Amino acid sequence: QKQRTDVTQQILAQRIIASYRADRYYDTLRYLDERGAVAPETRDLAMLRGWSLYKIGRTDAARQIFTELDRQLSTKDTQNALSVLMEIRGKY
């Protein structure tokens, strides 16, 4: 059972990355949800969730994810994401 779960996680992670790279953000989110039913979301996948939400215009949801990740561990990636969202907020 554990081996099956591990393989499922790996397959879904590959699908997540491939769909994100192909600019298929709704598919990315769907695969992230599927993987979330099998295992907790890793930090790198949470960043992809945040960017996917941003790309489909759900900036408030993206901001929540990036803010939480930055609160847990502030990195250049989380700071950059929040900076991008601050620029957008300033334009409206």
Side-chain angles (χ1 to χ4, degrees):
Q1 181 64 29
K2 178 165 177 8
Q3 186 176 16
R4 181 179 293 146
T5 301
D6 290 344
V7 170
T8 300
Q9 288 179 50
Q10 291 172 4
I11 290 169
L12 287 170
Q14 290 172 0
R15 288 180 182 168
I16 291 163
I17 293 166
S19 62
Y20 184 82
R21 288 181 178 161
D23 300 333
R24 295 187 342 254
Y25 304 114
Y26 288 99
D27 288 340
T28 302
L29 293 168
R30 183 171 49 85
Y31 291 135
L32 282 163
D33 289 344
E34 285 181 35
R35 189 182 178 283
V38 177
E41 194 162 272
T42 61
R43 186 175 178 84
D44 58 335
L45 294 179
M47 287 294 293
L48 287 181
R49 180 182 294 280
W51 283 117
S52 294
L53 290 166
Y54 166 78
K55 296 287 188 172
I56 64 170
R58 294 185 54 202
T59 55
D60 288 341
R63 183 177 291 108
Q64 286 178 333
I65 289 171
F66 294 141
T67 300
E68 180 59 25
L69 289 171
D70 192 65
R71 186 190 65 73
Q72 291 171 1
L73 176 65
S74 185
T75 64
K76 286 183 182 181
D77 289 337
T78 59
Q79 292 169 13
N80 177 57
L82 290 170
S83 176
V84 167
L85 290 169
M86 290 297 283
E87 287 178 25
I88 290 171
R89 181 177 263 176
K91 292 180 183 178
Y92 296 102

